[in-house]
Amino acid sequence: MTRPATSLAEADLAHFFHPQTNLAVHAETGPLVIDRGEGVFLWDDSGRRYLDAMAGLWCVGLGYSEPRLAEAARRQMERLPYGQSFGSRAHEPGIRLAERLAALAPAGLSRTFFACSGSEANDTAIKLAWYLWNARGEPKRKRILARRRAYHGVTQASASLTGLPLIHAGFDLPLPFVHHLTAPHVIQQAWPHESEEEFALRLARELEATIADLGAETIAAFIAEPVMGAGGVILPPRGYFDAIQPILRRHDILLIADEVITGFGRLGTLWGSDALGLAPDILTCAKMLTSGYQPLSAVLLKEDLYQEIAAQSGANGGFGHGFTWSAHPVAAAVALAVLDIYEERDILGHVAQVAPHFQRRLALLGQHGLVREARGMGLIGGIEMRAGADALRLQAAALREGLLVRAVGGDTVALCPPLVIGAEEVEDLFDRLARALRALD
Ligand code: PLP
C-alpha cells in the first residue's frame, strides 16, 4: 500500500466531520486518534496508553479485546454477511436473538424490533406508540412526555425527546409533540429542606397537573431513562418511579423505558427497570447489547401491544417501518456471543463485587472543594462540579493523566467503565482522577 501523503491529523482536519464535537475548538486542537485497545485500556497513534473510564460511549462492557466476539463476527460474515428481515424474510441470528431477549426481558416484553442505534430505537418506540393509539381509534394521543436533562438521541424525534439545550441549538428542535417535565435532579431541583420523597411526590404532582392541563386524551407515552446518563448521571429521588407509574397507568399513558445505557448490567441488575422498579410497556436498549462491537439496538414490547399493531398492519396493508440493517445478522451473532459471555462469566456477579469499591472511591471525590456532588450506582458515576467550566477542565486534566472521562450535561464528569474492570483497575482509575482533580487546585 502506498503511504498516504497526509498525516492522520491533517486528513482528519481536512475531511472528517466529527459528531458531538465543538468544531471550532476541534479546528485548533485536532483529533485524538485511537489506534488499538486491550481490556479497559486504549492506545493512541503515538503509543500513549489511556484507561477508558467511559467504555467508549457507555458501551464496551466486555472491554476492547474479546476474541470470541471477533470470531462470532467472522463466522457469521463467512456464512451470511447480510440478511434482510422485510417482508417475512429472516435468518437464524436475528430470530435467536429475539428469542433470547424475550427470555431476559422484564415481564411481558416478549417482542423485539431491531434497529442500529439508540436514537433509531427511541424513534421507533415513538412511532409504535403513535401507531398503536391510531389503531385504538385515539388519534389525538400524539404527545410524548419526557424530562429536562434526559438524553434519548439525535434523530429529529429522539433529539426532541432529549431535554438538553445543546442538542436542540441550531436545529429548530424540539418538535412540538414533546412536553418536557422537571429533571428529577435532587441537588439542583429539590427545594431546601425538601426530602427526596417529598421531591418525588412534587414531581408526581407536576405530572398529574400536566396531564390535566394537556388532556390525557392527547398524550401517547412517557419516556424515561431509569438513571439519566448523558444528561449528567442523575439518579431519581427515592420513590420517584413508584409515585409516577400509577398516574401513567390511571391515564392509559404508555411507559417507555430508555435502557440504552442501563441495559445489560450497568446498574448492577440486568435492567435498570429492575433496579429502579419500572414496569415499562416498551423498552429500548442498545450499546452493551453488542458490547459496542457492532451497531445494534432493540425495541422490546409487550405481546398484547404487538398483536394490536399486527392487526392494524393487516388493515393498513403492511407495517411501514424498518431499516435495511434491522437485525443485521453479523450484529445479531455478536450480540448472541455477548449474552453468552455475560452469563458464563457471571458479569452481574462481577459488577456486584467491584461496584461497592467503585462507589466508595467515587464518594471520596465528593470531598474536593470543586466538587458539588459525587454520585452513582452500580458501575456508573457522576462528579458534578461547582461550575460548568470545571467539568471540561477536569476532563482535560484527566486526559493528561491518561484517563478518558466525559463531561456531560454541562456540569458533570461521567464515569462508566467497562463492566469487566478489575479491582486494581478501579484503584488506578480513581488514583488518576484524584491526581487530575488536585491539578485543578
Ligand atoms: N438513549 C440514551 C439513554 C443514550 O445514552 C443514548 C446515547 O448515548 C441514546 C439514547 C442514543 O443512542 P445512539 O447514540 O446510539 O443513537
Side-chain angles (χ1 to χ4, degrees), residues 57-58 116-120 122 151-154 225 229-230 258-261 286-287:
L57 285 171
W58 329 78
C116 309
S117 69
S119 301
E120 286 175 358
N122 286 328
Y151 186 76
H152 297 297
V154 294
E225 302 154 86
D258 178 345
E259 296 242 21
V260 166
I261 286 180
K287 299 204 187 254

Side-chain angles (χ1 to χ4, degrees), residues 3-11:
R3 202 177 154 74
T6 53
S7 72
L8 281 176
E10 284 166 342

Side-chain angles (χ1 to χ4, degrees), residues 421-432:
I421 192 166
E424 281 178 20
E425 290 161 339
V426 169
E427 286 293 305
D428 188 3
L429 187 167
F430 283 101
D431 289 348
R432 290 174 197 239

